[in-house]
Amino acid sequence: MTVGELGEFALIRVLQGLLPASGPEVLVGIGDDVAVLEGGRQDGLVWLATCDVQVEGSHFLREAVAPEDLGRKVLAVNLSDIASAGGTPRFALVSLGLPRDLEAAFVEGLYRGLGQEAARFGVQVVGGNVSRVPQGLFIDLFLIGEAPREEVLLRSGARPGDRILVTGTLGDAAAGVALLVGPSGRSPAGTRVPQEPFPVPQDYLLRATGRRDRPEPRVREGRVIGASRLATAMIDVSDGLAGDLGHLLQCSGVGGRIEASRLPVAPENRLLARATTGDEWHFALHGGEDYELLFTCPPEAAGLLADRVREATGTPVTDIGEVLEPGTPGGLLLPDGRLVEFGGGWDHFG
Ligand SMILES: [Mg+2]
């Protein structure tokens, strides 16, 4: 059986079974956005650890990406995972796989962008590794953060009756990818320029490509949500709202329903999604690379928490739905009253 046939999530379960059991200092191991580890710098602090990679052909096209953007992005996607636990990022290590014929200026640009993003978020890059690859550049980054133990938010913890909230807007990065590679918008392996002009204004095209190339990790927002101690669970939306909400609900052992009319989606995004996929909610639900924070809290705290995030960071927060008892039919409630299932999330081998 190939890894493609097995699928990402089944593969992770198989691999986990081959490893020795974790010790008591591992508070959270495989399966959440970050590992949570005892032994923090001070009493009451725990370490958070995560890693994520950017691979040529899977995540970016070398000829279509600015190296500075790529350097920023490889840190940003990891910052988003630390943010999703409510943590503060601290230290990073980087592994580079470089083809021999790669221009040195490209790698310098990559590190210039990485350095700028690290400075913005107070991250120290403390080491790394360079190796030659036959083809296809990759950059892998390992990031350590920290948080007060009682403020760490996990995917588990949502309770029936909680509200479901999300920062910022959804689907813009997916619109940006569709503009680059065509309607499926999932793999930049083959560049395709759209034949017809898209029915969206130029300023939205700029916003969508900006969200695609320069994702903004919600680190400050995550800290505000964690420090409030009002939220019950959190995840970052990296693989599409439907899939990531599915992970949160599954890890919490609950159901959930979101309302399409409440989703923070630009009208231009719905137009573009309808024109390219036939479904106006497609980018918002299945697009991926939003790097927004999706979290839950008791209904009486929802307004207060949304206000607190907006006042502290300027980022809007939208209440999009409700956590349900396990087994209750959930999904997306459309404006016409139909309830549709979310469908699958993004499988990296799909
Ligand atoms: Mg994540």
Side-chain angles (χ1 to χ4, degrees):
M1 182 180 283
T2 66
V3 292
E5 287 160 355
L6 195 55
E8 179 184 357
F9 301 105
L11 177 66
I12 292 171
R13 280 194 299 276
V14 169
L15 299 182
Q16 191 174 1
L18 297 170
L19 297 172
S22 301
E25 65 276 28
V26 180
L27 302 176
V28 178
I30 296 169
D32 214 295
D33 289 282
V34 296
V36 183
L37 309 171
E38 285 282 18
R41 258 181 335 115
Q42 298 166 16
D43 248 10
L45 289 180
V46 290
W47 293 117
L48 310 171
T50 188
C51 60
D52 205 344
V53 67
Q54 292 282 308
V55 178
E56 182 175 358
S58 283
H59 298 97
F60 66 92
L61 298 168
R62 203 193 304 178
E63 59 278 15
V65 73
E68 289 80 4
D69 284 345
L70 186 59
R72 267 192 289 271
K73 188 169 181 178
V74 73
L75 182 53
V77 300
N78 281 283
L79 288 167
S80 183
D81 276 325
I82 297 291
S84 77
T88 303
R90 291 283 185 229
F91 307 106
L93 293 159
V94 186
S95 276
L96 293 173
L98 306 176
R100 259 187 88 83
D101 64 349
L102 184 70
E103 291 291 335
F106 190 98
V107 189
E108 288 170 27
L110 188 91
Y111 260 62
R112 204 173 299 120
L114 176 62
Q116 286 164 359
E117 190 80 347
R120 276 182 70 207
F121 288 97
V123 172
Q124 301 177 64
V125 180
V126 294
N129 171 58
V130 178
S131 114
R132 195 172 92 185
V133 293
Q135 58 181 2
L137 160 72
F138 76 82
I139 310 105
D140 188 37
L141 191 136
F142 171 64
L143 183 62
I144 295 178
E146 64 186 355
R149 183 185 286 101
E150 286 75 27
E151 296 177 6
V152 174
L153 283 160
L154 303 175
R155 296 177 174 191
S156 53
R159 293 173 298 219
D162 280 354
R163 300 302 303 176
I164 302 169
L165 295 93
V166 70
T167 59
T169 59
L170 297 166
D172 298 322
V177 173
L179 293 165
L180 180 66
V181 304
S184 77
R186 289 210 151 167
S187 166
T191 309
R192 195 155 75 76
V193 178
Q195 299 300 306
E196 298 290 327
F198 283 102
V200 288
Q202 188 65 22
D203 59 348
Y204 183 73
L205 300 193
L206 289 174
R207 176 166 142 199
T209 51
R211 288 292 299 266
R212 178 194 71 205
D213 295 336
R214 290 176 292 283
E216 185 61 35
R218 301 299 195 186
V219 175
R220 289 161 60 220
E221 293 79 356
R223 267 311 296 146
V224 172
I225 295 163
S228 76
R229 304 196 183 188
L230 294 169
T232 50
M234 185 150 67
I235 189 171
D236 69 317
V237 184
S238 54
D239 295 344
L241 177 70
D244 288 317
L245 177 59
H247 293 316
L248 185 148
L249 297 174
Q250 192 179 12
C251 290
S252 297
V254 291
R257 181 178 55 231
I258 55 175
E259 293 172 47
S261 61
R262 289 173 171 263
L263 293 179
V265 187
E268 298 91 339
N269 186 276
R270 289 165 54 188
L271 272 176
L272 185 60
R274 194 186 302 138
T276 55
T277 72
D279 173 9
E280 63 186 320
W281 307 110
H282 185 83
F283 293 154
L285 289 178
H286 305 292
E289 301 223 295
D290 293 306
Y291 301 108
E292 297 293 355
L293 295 177
L294 178 69
F295 57 103
T296 57
C297 70
E300 60 275 16
L304 178 66
L305 192 45
D307 288 347
R308 207 176 277 184
V309 172
R310 190 169 45 242
E311 282 160 19
T313 67
T315 303
V317 170
T318 311
D319 180 332
I320 59 171
E322 185 181 8
V323 178
L324 304 172
E325 293 286 347
T328 314
L332 175 72
L333 185 65
L334 293 172
D336 64 9
R338 278 183 303 141
L339 189 63
V340 295
E341 284 187 27
F342 294 130
W346 176 229
D347 180 323
H348 291 263
F349 298 117

